[in-house]
Amino acid sequence: VRTDSLGSPTGEAVAFDIFIPVIPSRDGRDRSRNLVLAAELATGRGVGGLEYSGLNLGVPGVTAATPNAGSAIDSGIAGINSDGNIELVRYRAFRGHVQYTMPGGRWSLASGYAQVEGRNLDRFSATPAKAAAIAPKIQYGFAAAFYDPQPWLRLAGELSRTRDTYNDPSNRTAANTRAQLSVLFIF
């Protein structure tokens, strides 16, 4: 990241991924009775957008209007720290899910969990109001069912919940529970 006079920090990240076919396919094509487990652990700084676009954990973004920045930087990558310099946001994220395809291969069930934590957010909270808006932890869980009535058609239903934890002692958490139905055409 380069700025006119706020500094030019360099980000880095590392991720460890695993995919385990707990009950693998018998012939490499049949999805029946398959059970898979997948997980990832990622950590780094300056790697915004880990879970979804716009993820910034409450750190105000660097815009073109930020003095001495020069230009805007995507949200979640960096912010202006309490010393007035640009600093990259440090993240640690874990995600994992399990999926089972039932006998016959038409029905699948899946469940998963993800957690994102900001590791240096105290550096961006110069005032109590800014500190209260910081969200050091975001958690996400889901359960889903898929049905393939035809090889080209998939029907899906999902129930998910997102939980944000804030530094604000009077409003510590916020949750969002959603249900979604989808129709997918496979080609």
Side-chain angles (χ1 to χ4, degrees):
V1 175
R2 297 205 188 280
T3 65
D4 290 346
S5 63
L6 296 174
S8 298
T10 300
E12 73 276 336
V14 63
F16 301 97
D17 294 275
I18 190 167
F19 179 84
I20 301 171
V22 179
I23 303 173
S25 172
R26 293 182 180 149
D27 64 2
R29 291 186 300 268
D30 183 14
R31 298 180 314 156
S32 253
R33 298 179 185 93
N34 289 354
L35 177 65
V36 296
L37 172 69
E40 178 181 68
L41 174 64
T43 186
R45 62 187 186 126
V47 290
L50 284 171
E51 290 299 314
Y52 48 87
S53 178
L55 176 66
N56 63 16
L57 301 177
V59 174
V62 178
T63 67
T66 302
N68 302 316
S71 63
I73 300 169
D74 290 344
S75 66
I77 292 176
I80 304 301
N81 66 20
S82 52
D83 297 331
N85 296 315
I86 192 165
E87 186 170 339
L88 300 176
V89 180
R90 287 189 166 281
Y91 289 96
R92 180 173 62 193
F94 166 79
R95 73 187 104 229
H97 79 269
V98 63
Q99 180 174 328
Y100 177 69
T101 303
M102 296 181 171
R106 290 185 172 220
W107 281 96
S108 296
L109 301 174
S111 182
Y113 174 80
Q115 181 171 302
V116 178
E117 297 175 359
R119 308 305 291 169
N120 64 336
L121 300 182
D122 60 324
R123 305 268 305 132
F124 300 98
S125 54
T127 66
K130 284 184 182 178
I134 298 287
K137 182 167 53 173
I138 296 174
Q139 298 164 292
Y140 172 79
F142 75 91
F146 307 92
Y147 175 63
D148 298 344
Q150 298 292 325
W152 53 268
L153 180 64
R154 174 168 292 163
L155 307 175
E158 177 181 280
L159 181 63
S160 64
R161 182 172 173 94
T162 303
R163 183 174 187 253
D164 298 348
T165 303
Y166 295 97
N167 283 340
D168 185 350
S170 63
N171 185 21
R172 191 77 173 132
T173 62
N176 184 342
T177 303
R178 294 179 180 212
Q180 175 178 314
L181 298 174
S182 301
V183 176
L184 300 119
F185 296 99
I186 301 167
F187 54 93

